[in-house]
Amino acid sequence: MDLLEERIKTLNPLTRSFLVEWLNVLHSMPGIELLSMIHRYLEGLFKFLGDDNEDLRQKTAALLSELLREISEAVDIQRRLGVGFGALERSLYGEAAGVPAPGLGTYEAEAGHWAPAQAAHLDFARMFAILVPFLGVPELDVRQTALHWLNEFIILARQLMLPFTAVILNSVLPALAAPHREIQTAAETTNSLLMQLVSETNLAALAEHTQLDIPAVLRTVLAHCRSDAVDTRMGCLDWLFKLHNKASHVVVADAALLESVFRCLSDPVEDVVKRGLQLVAQIAATSDADRFDALMADILRLFAKDRRLLETRGALILRQLCLALSPEDVYRSFSQVLEKEGDLDFASTMITNLNLIMITSAEMVDMRKRLRQFEKDGQVLFVDLYRSWSHSPVAAFSLCLLAQAYEHAFNLLQTFEDFEITVTLLVQIDKLVQLLESPVFSYLRLQLLDPERHPYLLKCLYALLMLLPQSSAFATLRNRLSCVSSLGHLNAAPRSPDFFSTKDKFKKLTSEIRWVDLLTHFKYVQGRHERARKAYLSASSMRNQKRSRRGMPTPGSATTSSAPTLPVSAAAMAAATSSASLPAGGAMAGATSDSSGGGGAGPGVAGAQGGVRRKRSGRRSTGGNELWEVGADGAGSPPPPVPKK
């Protein structure tokens, strides 16, 4: 064996073949125990597998297969006899760990209570250290054989392999995405066996030198979360699930955990995103209230940093969170953070998305039902959401419709006259009108048949109609309201005895809500948005002036601080844009006729939202050279100059 160990590192294929023949001869002799000395020649045999000589590779593979079979038999015999490896297991775990009690099989009894393999010394730690370098080699046969040996070691040695989990995963996780299917299959088997071993093991009851180093395993898994391979990333998330189940306090304490998990939420593969969301939900479900709120705040910060993620994956992430967790808890936590959000544009966009999901998502059925019933829990939920929903006027109005608080919804719409009607607002109203035709608001459409019980509902819809430009949404809502008005004779029908009691019941339910305070809060939040828009336009104007002084091209000034977050048709967009620039119908026609005729302003010029108004100078008008000023809403522009006669 000394000579063999010295020559085993040779590169000559003939010498290698000669050594394999000698090992076969020694292995066949009954008086020689090669397993106890396997660490002296195992590394050389694995190197032989990568030789170019086909005959040498076949002989080496056959010898390695025979050695592995003999190791398996030796473990089985020593367990039954309670000697060697079996005695070591029993001293560590006892019968509670599934180690069989000592006893002789038929083969051992016939051999006089002695078997050739019972004296073999099996050092799995030393053999595993020899295997590790071959788990990542490019040669297909060598790598596949090393993974096969590793699988057998996990099955045979069981908990003795737990201390090497981090080292194993460092080689197995990249192999899950190997280009060869044979390597992928072997790596999947190894990963499954190791995960099953960790699941079945009581980590708290392990002996000192068989402990699972969870921090080391976690560092290895988090490092491979950055891999470009999808299968590797999925395997990492599976291991994070398992580690969190076994030792959640250790996993959550790692500062790099959430960073890696949130990176998975931006993954281009949807399966990775869903798996990452399941992990986030599991962490949140096992956390206390403060930790839960902090986790939801981290998700909002992620959206604030990556607006593209909010646009492309926002709905998927939010719906999966509501599916895995309580939707009310998720929305309450988001609402608390967004109420104090300093970035008003992000807060408005986020509330708009949350509101759309709340109205349309199937996961929110119970939450919508609780709001519609408007009992004690529903009222508390309504108030909690309302304070942050005030960042988006249409979202706050939609919330009132869901809660059937039609009187407050009408009061909300009346405050719109105090603020600028932007294109974004009109686009969102357009989308809301489309949603009113969905099954979610079927109860609302039925309540239109009873205007005496719900008088403010009709007022709300007519107010929306007055705000909308004449677009497809305007026609849809007008047709719906005209159907109701044509059935006015139904209101003369006799009322049931509980008609007035129902109205009194709703007033009694909502008597504890401070509606005036809510409306004041809405005005305050919208006032902040109004000031932020003006500050943005002022800063943009100053930048344009500086650019023009430097001779640089001046970009077009924006009328809103953010793009519309809800899609609409091109016709509705054009109508909304024309509506925002010309608040009163026929304004341009009135201005044109006035400038040509030299008379007073036309009837469409002075509208409710301001607009273009003529301001006469102290002298007599000459040829239409009067002064013009822009209304308070910033809309309108002076008419083109009229040439003098």
Side-chain angles (χ1 to χ4, degrees):
M1 291 303 299
D2 293 338
L3 289 175
L4 189 144
E5 185 179 5
E6 181 182 347
R7 305 294 198 279
I8 200 73
K9 299 180 181 179
T10 181
L11 300 179
N12 191 327
L14 296 179
T15 307
R16 287 179 169 183
S17 180
F18 181 73
L19 294 175
V20 172
E21 293 293 343
W22 263 106
L23 283 171
N24 280 322
V25 171
L26 294 174
H27 182 259
S28 63
M29 297 183 66
I32 299 179
E33 181 57 67
L34 284 183
L35 291 184
S36 300
M37 298 175 284
I38 194 172
H39 59 276
R40 306 181 69 175
Y41 56 85
L42 183 61
E43 181 180 1
L45 290 180
F46 271 95
K47 290 181 179 179
F48 292 179
L49 279 179
D51 197 277
D52 296 334
N53 190 304
E54 179 67 24
D55 184 58
L56 174 60
R57 293 201 302 270
Q58 291 181 359
K59 291 180 180 179
T60 305
L63 178 58
L64 285 172
S65 178
E66 183 64 22
L67 289 173
L68 185 60
R69 183 193 62 79
E70 192 167 335
I71 291 174
S72 179
E73 290 182 355
V75 170
D76 183 56
I77 291 173
Q78 291 181 9
R79 276 177 177 164
R80 285 195 299 238
L81 296 177
V83 298
F85 181 76
L88 175 63
E89 280 191 321
R90 195 170 297 108
S91 65
L92 293 176
Y93 319 119
E95 297 183 6
V99 178
L104 297 177
T106 305
Y107 177 79
E108 293 84 353
E110 293 176 354
H113 298 186
W114 182 89
Q118 74 182 52
H121 176 66
L122 302 175
D123 191 347
F124 283 98
R126 199 167 186 178
M127 288 188 287
F128 171 74
I130 296 173
L131 286 180
V132 170
F134 300 100
L135 294 174
V137 294
E139 292 84 359
L140 177 62
D141 294 337
V142 180
R143 194 176 185 183
Q144 186 176 2
T145 305
L147 287 171
H148 179 60
W149 273 64
L150 179 58
N151 294 342
E152 290 297 322
F153 283 4
I154 296 174
I155 295 174
L156 297 173
R158 296 188 292 192
Q159 283 89 348
L160 290 178
M161 298 298 295
L162 285 177
F164 311 111
T165 301
V167 181
I168 295 173
L169 290 178
N170 195 38
S171 300
V172 169
L173 288 175
L176 292 175
H180 302 286
R181 183 57 191 167
E182 297 86 351
I183 301 299
Q184 288 185 17
T185 304
E188 289 171 359
T189 304
T190 306
N191 189 59
S192 177
L193 289 172
L194 193 59
M195 191 173 293
Q196 182 180 359
L197 177 63
V198 173
S199 300
E200 297 174 352
T201 303
N202 183 8
L203 301 182
L206 288 176
E208 182 177 355
H209 62 284
T210 59
Q211 287 287 341
L212 175 64
D213 190 355
I214 294 181
V217 175
L218 185 60
R219 286 193 298 270
T220 302
V221 172
L222 293 178
H224 286 284
C225 280
R226 299 176 178 269
S227 173
D228 295 332
V230 177
D231 293 331
T232 300
R233 297 198 298 272
M234 290 291 291
C236 291
L237 290 173
D238 291 339
W239 270 102
L240 290 177
F241 260 100
K242 186 62 62 180
L243 294 175
H244 186 265
N245 285 332
K246 300 297 290 186
S248 59
H249 61 285
V250 179
V251 175
V252 175
D254 195 310
L257 173 66
L258 291 180
E259 179 184 354
S260 299
V261 174
F262 287 158
R263 190 183 304 111
C264 293
L265 300 185
S266 305
D267 198 277
V269 181
E270 186 172 327
D271 290 339
V272 177
V273 177
K274 290 182 178 179
R275 195 61 174 159
L277 286 171
Q278 292 173 3
L279 178 58
V280 172
Q282 178 172 301
I283 295 173
T286 56
S287 304
D288 55 12
D290 294 337
R291 179 66 182 173
F292 182 91
D293 293 339
L295 191 59
M296 296 299 108
D298 290 339
I299 294 176
L300 289 177
R301 278 194 292 270
L302 177 65
F303 285 144
K305 290 180 180 178
D306 190 354
R307 296 295 181 90
R308 180 170 177 79
L309 174 64
L310 178 59
E311 295 173 2
T312 57
R313 300 283 188 181
L316 174 64
I317 293 173
L318 295 173
R319 291 184 63 177
Q320 289 294 320
L321 282 177
C322 293
L323 185 63
L325 299 170
S326 170
E328 296 180 19
D329 294 340
V330 173
Y331 266 64
R332 276 196 175 100
S333 183
F334 281 155
S335 179
Q336 292 175 4
V337 178
L338 292 172
E339 182 184 352
K340 304 173 184 177
E341 176 63 40
D343 187 349
L344 298 180
D345 179 46
F346 168 71
S348 178
T349 304
M350 194 68 207
I351 290 299
T352 301
N353 283 273
L354 288 172
N355 183 69
L356 182 61
I357 293 173
M358 181 177 67
I359 293 176
T360 60
S361 176
E363 294 84 2
M364 314 297 290
V365 172
D366 294 337
M367 184 172 171
R368 290 196 297 266
K369 184 178 179 181
R370 182 166 284 109
L371 283 172
R372 190 164 65 248
Q373 292 176 348
F374 215 63
E375 296 179 353
K376 188 66 176 179
D377 295 340
Q379 295 178 34
V380 175
L381 177 62
F382 174 82
V383 174
D384 290 343
L385 297 182
Y386 185 93
R387 301 190 67 83
S388 61
W389 255 237
S390 298
H391 283 291
S392 173
V394 176
F397 178 74
S398 304
L399 182 65
C400 294
L401 293 184
L402 286 175
Q404 302 185 66
Y406 301 133
E407 182 176 358
H408 185 74
F410 179 69
N411 294 333
L412 210 64
L413 289 177
Q414 286 184 315
T415 64
F416 284 18
E417 64 183 11
D418 299 331
F419 307 109
E420 179 185 3
I421 304 298
T422 63
V423 176
T424 302
L425 179 61
L426 293 175
V427 169
Q428 293 178 2
I429 295 176
D430 187 291
K431 184 64 176 179
L432 176 61
V433 171
Q434 299 175 26
L435 290 175
L436 290 177
E437 299 296 320
S438 65
V440 175
F441 287 105
S442 58
Y443 70 93
L444 183 146
R445 298 194 298 272
L446 290 174
Q447 289 174 353
L448 288 174
L449 299 175
D450 198 353
E452 291 189 12
R453 181 175 293 177
H454 308 286
Y456 286 98
L457 173 59
L458 205 58
K459 291 184 177 182
C460 288
L461 298 185
Y462 270 110
L464 286 183
L465 192 66
M466 296 300 104
L467 289 173
L468 280 172
Q470 296 194 19
S471 59
S472 58
F474 178 89
T476 301
L477 185 56
R478 182 184 59 186
N479 292 339
R480 174 68 65 181
L481 294 175
S482 63
C483 292
V484 176
S485 61
S486 64
L487 299 176
H489 62 280
L490 293 179
N491 298 327
R495 299 294 179 184
S496 59
D498 62 340
F499 171 72
F500 296 101
S501 62
T502 305
K503 297 177 66 176
D504 295 339
K505 179 181 178 182
F506 182 81
K507 290 183 178 180
K508 184 178 180 181
L509 285 174
T510 61
S511 59
E512 298 181 2
I513 299 180
R514 299 179 178 178
W515 298 106
V516 177
D517 294 346
L518 292 180
L519 192 61
T520 303
H521 175 75
F522 174 81
K523 292 180 179 179
Y524 168 73
V525 174
Q526 286 304 305
R528 291 177 57 196
H529 282 269
E530 187 82 7
R531 290 190 294 273
R533 277 194 294 268
K534 291 180 180 179
Y536 173 80
L537 292 175
S538 176
S540 178
S541 176
M542 293 180 64
R543 286 195 300 267
N544 292 339
Q545 291 177 5
K546 291 180 180 179
R547 292 173 65 91
S548 62
R549 284 198 297 267
R550 296 174 183 174
M552 301 173 64
T554 304
S557 60
T559 57
T560 56
S561 59
S562 63
T565 58
L566 298 176
V568 292
S569 62
M573 190 67 182
T577 307
S578 63
S579 159
S581 60
L582 296 175
M588 276 311 268
T592 305
S593 62
D594 217 24
S595 60
S596 60
V605 175
Q609 301 173 8
V612 182
R613 298 193 302 271
R614 175 172 299 181
K615 183 177 180 181
R616 297 191 179 276
S617 60
R619 64 183 185 275
R620 184 175 178 180
S621 171
T622 57
N625 291 330
E626 298 86 0
L627 299 178
W628 293 78
E629 68 175 0
V630 180
D633 60 346
S637 58
V642 180
K644 297 181 180 180
K645 295 183 180 179

